[in-house]
Amino acid sequence: MINLGLDILGLARFQFGMTTVFHFFFVPFSIGLAFVVAVMETMYAVKGDKDYKKMAQFWGKMFLYSFAVGVVTGIIQEFQFGMNWSEYSRFMGDIFGAPLAIEALAAFFMESTFIGMWMFTWDRFNKWVHVLFIWLVMFGSSLSALWILAANSFMQNPLGYIINKQTGHVQMTDFGAIVGNPQLWNEFPHVIFGSFVTAAFVIAGCAAWRLLKKDHVTFYRKSLQVALVIGLIFSLGSIASGDTQMRYLLNNQPMKVGAMEGIYKNSTEKGEWTAVAGFDTKAHKTTWSVDIPYVLNLLSYHKLTGTVTGMNQANKELHAKYDKKFGSDINYYVPTKTLFWSFRIMSGASALFALLAIVGLIFNRKKSQAILKQKWFLYIMGLCLWLPFIVNTCGWFITEFGRYPWVVYGLLTIADAVSPNVSVASLLTSNIVYFLMFAGMGVVMVVLCHRTLKAGPDAENTDGYSASDVDIDPYSKGAFNHD
Amino acid sequence: MTNLQLLWFILIGVLFSGFFFLEGFDFGVGMLIKSFARNDAERDVVIRTIGPHWDGNEVWLITAGGAMFASFPMWYATLFSGFYLVLFLILACLIFRGVSFEFRANMETERWKTFWEWAGTIGSGCAAFLFGMLFTAMIKGMPIDKNGDMTAHFTDYVNLFSIVGGVAVTVLCLVHGLNFIRLKTSGELRDRARDWNKILYPVLFAGEVVFAILLFFSTDFFAKKPLSTTLIVVFLVIVTALAYWGVLGNHEWLSFVGSGLSLISVVVLIFNGLFPRVMVANNPAYSLLIKNSSNSPYTLHLMTILTFSILPIVLVYFIWSYWVFYKRLASPKQNA
């Protein structure tokens, strides 16, 4: 076969990354939308204002699209462990399988059952029962995030296990430690808050575009209002939870933090924070940078003193710790540029979100039509609807690239995790097809959302399910008569 | 082999049975979108019969996969990496059919609507066929090495036996889907489903007989477990016959339960024949066994407690959701 310079490991990594990123466009979006829609429907139930019902139904459509894509890409995600990472599955099965199975059992069933109920039973149940359905969907999807992050947290910070001497595989000894992993309780709120922010700013952005056209002003202003309130609360929440997570990582994964801050040498007592910089990753050097004193210490320790471990120091410590087991020629430097810029985009965007929400809420005050006159603001808001997806991807990049070269921190390298028996040709085929399918689904999603938006909240329900319903009880006598 | 290992082997079988019973009919209904339903309005009704349920049904597969990972990771790793291309194609099919229901309803032009209808039809059909093929190939025995890695060639997956297995499962899903449509609709569609099944059942019988003969020659099932294997095959034929009788005599529930039981008995046949193995290797020394493919007792114990506390609740609301949508859908008027 022609050597294209492609190998199993590279292709498997690319495929995993691609699937994760694509899946993670829709997961936070649908968790967040479930929350926002649930809030809207609850407001309808409380206030009896039909506008809120219309809002829940309208934004609920986008939720249904993203849910469908989320489900199908989720199956790829689950099967991929066995298909592309069989050695990982054998090594980690004792720990990783449990949260995955519980996720399916406790969360997916709840989500998919109640989403069907919610979707098809408008006006068939008491409005409070119907509200309960969407909250159960929301609860189910958050629960699934919790379990999958529990598995991920173990990979970042293994706890509650021993290595089985016979097989060399990990073995669970303490389920409590796995669920109580501090990494999990730092990661989970950050991901959930990020999800709420995602949905809030997508809705706010969509509403802003329609307001620019002066379309359904009352409806979109109300939507904007709900979205911005949620957006403000949870962008502040995600900044706060990001901060605690960062401080946790200082001790736990110093290499990751070093790369996020772009420091090779340990920082000095003055705590210079690098705002922007260029890197020579081969020589492990910063080529140029713009530094601001004391900010690093403020960010890291919330005070003016202290030092942060640089990557060179972290590298030395990792070698000292792991050379015996993994050999001395392993490279512990993580992709510095990716982490450095991802971190800046992520934190910068979060601050921008909070700011936009405040400004938006001021413009959108009751009675005044100020928001319609601030076209510049609506444009920015509208453009920012894409930003959360980039931010989520950045967050995932930091988490996952930041533990290089491990798949399970300190226990298993990525190279040792891959399926040895899958051919390059198979992998290449699946990569190409998945890529095309993801691209296709992405395009359809955007087109559908755009069309839904253009059709507006008064459009006829086009979900095709509203086809003639007759009340024939299949258990009644008449139902069995065939004439 | 410990009791817990045995329990989990059975539980995996139960989950796959649930998956085939439920997703079996929505695969069947999916296949019928293009041929059985004759116009847009009819397609709406046909899709609507599974609309609220298909994603919940698919979760049975996700759960079966997750449970396999959580109880027999060696099995999961060998099976999934070994059948890479088949599983990849199944996933592609599941994606296409999964999004097709939602996307079709929202397409404006006829051409795109038709595209997603075909995606749903072909995706459902191929997924059913490939599942049948995968499980048939799996029981025939595969080239597995000492490490448990499988390196199979095209003819290991695709051969007369696996193709017959694939076709048999596809036809089973098809009749199951038609039986479901009969339960969920009224009028024209309900009658047509009956007419179709009158023709399909004889085909299915022929398929089952050929499958049983090939099973005798291609696997060690009859040699190792002559009694139980024969009994299950006989049961399979009997429930199929009962379902056919249900079709002829208008006993809708009987025919639906019958076709569901046929699918379940195929799963039972496979799991019974596998026992005490989970994967059959060409070289018997490398077959994966229940006793050495499972997780630690701690994890199995934990999973058992969790499963038996969560599952009852899940079953209650899962069944309730079918109850909520028990009403029949009317067939659209002709030329409407």
Side-chain angles (χ1 to χ4, degrees):
Chain A
M1 203 188 140
I2 314 161
N3 188 354
L4 296 167
L6 299 168
D7 59 349
I8 296 178
L9 183 60
L11 285 167
R13 287 187 69 192
F14 182 79
Q15 184 170 320
F16 197 83
M18 175 172 71
T19 316
T20 314
V21 167
F22 190 75
H23 184 55
F24 208 67
F25 282 160
F26 296 99
V27 171
F29 188 42
S30 56
I31 294 177
L33 276 174
F35 177 71
V36 181
V37 168
V39 169
M40 287 168 171
E41 200 181 336
T42 309
M43 289 175 75
Y44 160 66
V46 173
K47 292 187 172 179
D49 180 345
K50 285 261 169 110
D51 272 353
Y52 286 109
K53 183 183 177 187
K54 218 194 251 178
M55 271 156 70
Q57 285 177 326
F58 180 72
W59 302 108
K61 281 183 198 165
M62 293 195 185
F63 169 58
L64 295 177
Y65 307 148
S66 68
F67 183 80
V69 180
V71 171
V72 291
T73 51
I75 305 181
I76 307 186
Q77 194 72 359
E78 185 201 9
F79 277 28
Q80 212 163 133
F81 295 112
M83 289 169 74
N84 288 337
W85 305 97
S86 62
E87 286 301 325
Y88 168 84
S89 303
R90 292 188 181 111
F91 180 80
M92 273 285 279
D94 210 61
I95 304 235
F96 197 82
L100 212 62
I102 302 168
E103 184 192 17
L105 205 59
F108 285 161
F109 270 123
M110 188 189 268
E111 237 180 313
S112 57
T113 307
F114 287 103
I115 203 168
M117 304 283 274
W118 182 76
M119 186 168 170
F120 294 103
T121 61
W122 283 96
D123 302 323
R124 269 182 61 184
F125 284 96
N126 172 306
K127 61 185 177 183
W128 286 104
V129 175
H130 198 263
V131 168
L132 181 69
F133 290 160
I134 188 74
W135 280 110
L136 284 171
V137 172
M138 148 77 210
F139 182 63
S141 48
S142 311
L143 211 57
S144 102
L146 178 72
W147 286 110
I148 205 66
L149 291 178
N152 182 265
S153 296
F154 181 88
M155 292 158 73
Q156 303 282 348
N157 179 34
L159 285 177
Y161 72 99
I162 51 161
I163 298 284
N164 183 314
K165 285 211 181 76
Q166 265 184 332
T167 58
H169 299 162
V170 292
Q171 199 172 316
M172 198 193 294
T173 53
D174 184 0
F175 185 64
I178 288 170
V179 180
N181 194 334
Q183 168 76 27
L184 171 63
W185 295 102
N186 278 295
E187 214 173 311
F188 178 65
H190 194 58
V191 169
I192 290 294
F193 294 166
S195 304
F196 297 167
V197 172
T198 303
F201 280 91
V202 173
I203 291 180
C206 291
W209 281 123
R210 298 321 295 173
L211 286 174
L212 269 173
K213 313 221 162 174
K214 302 218 164 46
D215 173 32
H216 289 88
V217 172
T218 320
F219 178 83
Y220 284 115
R221 270 187 65 190
K222 270 188 181 169
S223 298
L224 188 70
Q225 187 73 14
V226 175
L228 288 181
V229 170
I230 292 172
L232 178 62
I233 296 171
F234 290 103
S235 55
L236 294 176
S238 74
I239 293 169
S241 61
D243 177 64
T244 52
Q245 196 177 0
M246 183 79 174
R247 290 200 289 151
Y248 168 77
L249 288 175
L250 276 171
N251 299 316
N252 225 261
Q253 293 182 341
M255 180 60 93
K256 194 182 264 180
V257 178
M260 285 160 80
E261 293 296 7
I263 47 175
Y264 280 105
K265 292 181 196 149
N266 293 359
S267 70
T268 62
E269 273 292 329
K270 269 170 82 184
E272 271 119 352
W273 178 70
T274 311
V276 282
F279 301 100
D280 180 350
T281 46
K282 279 201 184 118
H284 306 308
K285 272 197 181 110
T286 309
T287 48
W288 59 270
S289 64
V290 177
D291 297 332
I292 310 167
Y294 299 112
V295 175
L296 183 61
N297 287 341
L298 270 178
L299 290 174
S300 314
Y301 303 109
H302 296 188
K303 57 183 186 186
L304 293 175
T305 52
T307 59
V308 176
T309 313
M311 281 182 275
N312 292 339
Q313 170 77 21
N315 182 47
K316 261 186 224 156
E317 285 168 9
L318 284 165
H319 272 292
K321 201 168 168 191
Y322 295 115
D323 273 3
K324 249 195 207 161
K325 210 171 139 202
F326 291 93
S328 58
D329 51 353
I330 211 162
N331 174 25
Y332 288 111
Y333 285 97
V334 299
T336 307
K337 286 180 196 163
T338 311
L339 262 70
F340 181 80
W341 290 110
S342 295
F343 183 53
R344 263 138 202 81
I345 294 171
M346 183 177 76
S347 40
S350 306
L352 176 67
F353 285 147
L355 185 71
L356 279 175
I358 294 170
V359 176
L361 286 170
I362 294 171
F363 284 147
N364 203 28
R365 271 167 310 173
K366 270 191 190 154
K367 285 179 191 161
S368 95
Q369 294 278 338
I371 191 95
L372 294 175
K373 291 177 199 127
Q374 308 299 332
K375 292 217 159 149
W376 63 275
F377 176 76
L378 292 175
Y379 268 113
I380 295 177
M381 200 79 230
L383 288 173
C384 280
L385 79 88
W386 303 103
L387 201 51
F389 298 102
I390 300 171
V391 174
N392 290 334
T393 307
C394 286
W396 214 230
F397 277 177
I398 295 169
T399 316
E400 302 302 76
F401 280 122
R403 61 156 173 221
Y404 185 85
W406 310 110
V407 62
V408 187
Y409 208 85
L411 295 179
L412 185 73
T413 63
I414 300 170
D416 288 332
V418 78
S419 300
N421 55 328
V422 176
S423 71
V424 169
S426 300
L427 269 160
L428 198 58
T429 315
S430 56
N431 263 309
I432 293 170
V433 175
Y434 281 151
F435 181 82
L436 293 175
M437 287 173 80
F438 292 161
M441 278 193 287
V443 170
V444 176
M445 270 292 299
V446 173
V447 170
L448 280 184
C449 289
H450 181 241
R451 185 180 302 153
T452 307
L453 206 59
K454 248 176 86 180
D458 294 327
E460 215 182 305
N461 209 9
T462 53
D463 63 9
Y465 297 121
S466 30
S468 46
D469 227 318
V470 283
D471 294 352
I472 301 179
D473 181 347
Y475 308 102
S476 75
K477 230 178 158 188
F480 288 93
N481 286 338
H482 253 268
D483 33 49
Chain B
M1 193 189 316
T2 65
N3 288 337
L4 273 182
Q5 286 174 321
L6 178 63
L7 173 71
W8 275 91
F9 179 73
I10 295 169
L11 272 179
I12 305 280
V14 170
L15 287 168
F16 274 109
S17 302
F19 169 69
F20 278 106
F21 185 97
L22 296 162
E23 188 106 318
F25 68 70
D26 77 54
F27 279 158
V29 172
M31 284 183 244
L32 296 164
I33 298 172
K34 217 46 207 169
S35 49
F36 176 77
R38 290 183 182 151
N39 53 42
D40 249 20
E42 285 193 356
R43 280 180 202 118
D44 282 343
V45 177
V46 166
I47 295 175
R48 167 117 204 218
T49 59
I50 55 167
H53 305 301
W54 74 265
D55 49 356
N57 294 346
E58 207 151 291
V59 174
W60 284 79
L61 177 67
I62 302 181
T63 310
M68 208 178 205
F69 200 171
S71 53
F72 297 98
M74 313 304 152
W75 186 10
Y76 172 82
T78 302
L79 178 71
F80 281 46
S81 67
F83 281 97
Y84 188 88
L85 278 180
V86 181
L87 274 166
F88 158 69
L89 289 173
I90 288 177
L91 290 177
C93 291
L94 291 182
I95 291 176
F96 267 115
R97 73 180 291 271
V99 295
S100 75
F101 307 129
E102 191 68 45
F103 285 0
R104 171 192 171 273
N106 289 287
M107 289 295 140
E108 267 172 354
T109 60
E110 268 316 301
R111 183 186 291 189
W112 278 107
K113 209 163 187 175
T114 311
F115 174 85
W116 288 112
E117 281 160 6
W118 278 113
T121 307
I122 297 172
S124 305
C126 290
F129 175 77
L130 290 164
F131 266 118
M133 199 166 96
L134 187 153
F135 279 103
T136 321
M138 186 181 98
I139 55 175
K140 187 171 181 265
M142 281 289 180
I144 295 173
D145 68 15
K146 202 169 61 184
N147 183 32
D149 288 321
M150 190 176 125
T151 33
H153 296 287
F154 186 72
T155 48
D156 290 313
Y157 304 127
V158 184
N159 48 57
L160 182 66
F161 182 44
S162 72
I163 289 173
V164 169
V167 173
V169 169
T170 313
V171 179
L172 258 176
C173 290
L174 204 53
V175 297
H176 195 36
L178 284 162
N179 285 332
F180 185 69
I181 287 179
R182 296 187 69 216
L183 275 181
K184 292 288 290 186
T185 59
S186 56
E188 171 81 359
L189 286 172
R190 185 178 171 199
D191 295 336
R192 199 184 308 151
R194 182 165 171 236
D195 296 340
W196 277 49
N197 256 353
K198 278 183 188 163
I199 301 166
L200 277 171
Y201 263 100
V203 178
L204 180 61
F205 276 121
E208 282 178 3
V209 170
V210 177
F211 180 77
I213 295 169
L214 287 171
L215 185 74
F216 182 83
F217 290 108
S218 308
T219 68
D220 55 13
F221 282 21
F222 282 101
K224 287 204 163 162
K225 302 184 187 73
L227 184 65
S228 56
T229 306
T230 312
L231 280 178
I232 298 168
V233 171
V234 170
F235 181 76
L236 170 64
V237 176
I238 290 176
V239 285
T240 312
L242 271 177
Y244 187 35
W245 185 65
V247 170
L248 297 176
N250 255 330
H251 308 291
E252 295 184 335
W253 273 100
L254 180 71
S255 48
F256 177 69
V257 172
S259 52
L261 282 178
S262 311
L263 278 161
I264 290 177
S265 44
V266 172
V267 179
V268 174
L269 179 72
I270 292 170
F271 274 71
N272 176 66
L274 279 176
F275 184 84
R277 303 163 292 189
V278 288
M279 286 291 280
V280 185
N282 288 344
N283 176 353
Y286 294 152
S287 284
L288 300 187
L289 304 176
I290 294 176
K291 67 174 176 196
N292 57 20
S293 305
S294 87
N295 269 328
S296 68
Y298 179 88
T299 300
L300 288 182
H301 194 75
L302 174 85
M303 287 303 301
T304 309
I305 295 172
L306 285 170
T307 303
F308 283 95
S309 33
I310 302 171
L311 197 62
I313 307 169
V314 173
L315 286 177
V316 166
Y317 66 68
F318 193 82
I319 293 168
W320 184 59
S321 81
Y322 274 82
W323 184 257
V324 167
F325 296 106
Y326 76 102
K327 278 180 184 142
R328 281 176 194 277
L329 306 164
S331 289
K333 296 273 181 306
Q334 283 300 313
N335 307 322

